[in-house]
Amino acid sequence: MGNEGIELLFLEPVCTHNIWGGKRLREEFGYPVEGDDLGECWGISAHPEGDGMIRNGSFRGKTLSQMWAEHPDLFGNLPYDRYPLLTKIIDAQDDLSIQVHPDDAYAQVHENGSLGKTECWFICDCKEGAALVIGHNAKTAEELKEMVAEGRWQELIREVPIHKGDFIQIDPGTVHAIKADTLILETQQNSAITYRLYDYGRLQNGKPRELHIDKSLDVITVPAKSAEESVRSLTNLQENKLNQIYTCEKYTVFKLDVNGSAVFEQRFPFLAASVLEGQGSVNGAEVRKGDHFIIPCGYGNVEMKGNMSLILSTVEE
Ligand code: ZN
């Protein structure tokens, strides 16, 4: 309980089955879902395709979208028509198709008023020598069109090396894909609008999955941001401090490594928190790897104890 009697909101995640998924979300994170094809855990989500339910306290059983509508004060009375973010953990056991997202303006017109999608990834785990797809090698829009039309994918697609603990910002218009054996935490706008550019020529049930070439070409940024600018390793973060690792118009993301005790003031409209490693407590409530919770507006001082790593997010007022 916070200073003003405000409660933490613990969420019941929604997991999805995907052909490229695996078992880690159940076996390592403890989500009670059957199947060896668990691809995504929507940990903090008010999206209609996975609206998380509060699992504790006075609001138990309410969905996050209901909470947003009925208790705007707990989210700082923000001027958004829906909870603005979506936090996921993604376990890729196979390469994901190569995608690009539109921005708000394009999605508004072409996707029935949906939000666009800006997202970012924190690499929780990957193999030695791992890489992912970010950006492309076309120098002009003309060259991009040509390479796509001629199927010169090897030349077009840019792979960049990654390491555990890296951070990657994916602006709308950025070609991107996770590759096999990568576990990430994704913080994104509350949207599911994705254009599939390339699927490695794979078949699902004997057929290729639908591609969205025209929309992809409409929105891809040319030239792409440099590889060096795309992947950032997070160094010199302080323990027991809320380290801001990224901020943009759509969200601000923090990393917090608790070793012993961390105390800070909740001075944001809300703080969405996910425990990625370890265990401990938040103002006396026990938390462990795989837990997702929201620290509401006006909560006051937050005291975390134990040994754990978290990613947290909020939006600008
Ligand atoms: Zn994406």
Side-chain angles (χ1 to χ4, degrees), residues 99 101 117 119 176:
Q99 315 187 332
H101 305 298
K117 190 165 159 187
E119 68 188 40
H176 63 282

Side-chain angles (χ1 to χ4, degrees), residues 72-86:
D73 50 310
L74 296 181
F75 304 89
N77 295 303
L78 288 164
Y80 297 98
D81 65 351
R82 63 201 105 177
Y83 177 75
L85 302 181
L86 173 45

Side-chain angles (χ1 to χ4, degrees), residues 37-159:
D37 61 346
L38 303 179
E40 302 189 349
C41 159
W42 295 27
I44 305 174
S45 167
H47 194 277
E49 288 166 33
D51 201 353
M53 205 174 268
I54 309 299
R55 66 166 160 86
N56 69 303
S58 339
F59 301 112
R60 189 174 169 173
K62 288 205 185 270
T63 62
L64 183 52
S65 64
Q66 268 178 306
M67 291 300 296
W68 180 265
E70 294 168 14
H71 301 278
D73 50 310
L74 296 181
F75 304 89
N77 295 303
L78 288 164
Y80 297 98
D81 65 351
R82 63 201 105 177
Y83 177 75
L85 302 181
L86 173 45
T87 307
K88 292 180 186 176
I89 298 174
I90 302 178
D91 172 22
Q93 290 298 312
D94 195 359
D95 296 345
L96 270 67
S97 61
I98 296 174
Q99 315 187 332
V100 61
H101 305 298
D103 62 13
D104 288 345
Y106 189 92
Q108 179 69 36
V109 175
H110 299 269
E111 303 296 344
N112 206 15
S114 171
L115 293 179
K117 190 165 159 187
T118 300
E119 68 188 40
C120 63
W121 297 341
F122 174 76
I123 309 295
C124 303
D125 196 20
C126 64
K127 293 227 161 114
E128 187 83 17
L132 46 74
V133 172
I134 178 126
H136 60 81
N137 295 314
K139 286 174 198 71
T140 63
E142 268 316 293
E143 192 183 14
L144 172 67
K145 263 191 202 137
E146 252 173 53
M147 289 169 110
V148 169
E150 295 167 8
R152 287 151 60 199
W153 301 108
Q154 299 298 330
E155 243 180 289
L156 177 66
I157 299 303
R158 188 176 72 192
E159 284 194 14

Side-chain angles (χ1 to χ4, degrees), residues 239-240 256-262 304-310:
E239 273 187 353
N240 301 318
L256 172 57
D257 295 308
V258 180
N259 183 7
S261 164
M304 298 199 190
K305 288 184 177 162
N307 220 300
M308 55 186 182
S309 288
L310 300 95

Side-chain angles (χ1 to χ4, degrees), residues 13-16 18 20 25 29 31 39-45 47 49-50 85-91 96 99 101 117 119-122 124 178 183-194 274 276 292 311 313:
V14 179
C15 289
T16 67
N18 306 78
W20 44 262
L25 293 177
F29 287 84
Y31 305 126
E40 302 189 349
C41 159
W42 295 27
I44 305 174
S45 167
H47 194 277
E49 288 166 33
L85 302 181
L86 173 45
T87 307
K88 292 180 186 176
I89 298 174
I90 302 178
D91 172 22
L96 270 67
Q99 315 187 332
H101 305 298
K117 190 165 159 187
E119 68 188 40
C120 63
W121 297 341
F122 174 76
C124 303
I178 315 170
L183 189 93
I184 67 167
L185 178 128
E186 178 175 274
T187 304
Q188 58 160 93
Q189 279 181 277
N190 181 358
S191 161
I193 306 292
T194 288
S274 302
L276 297 181
H292 301 269
I311 292 283
S313 53

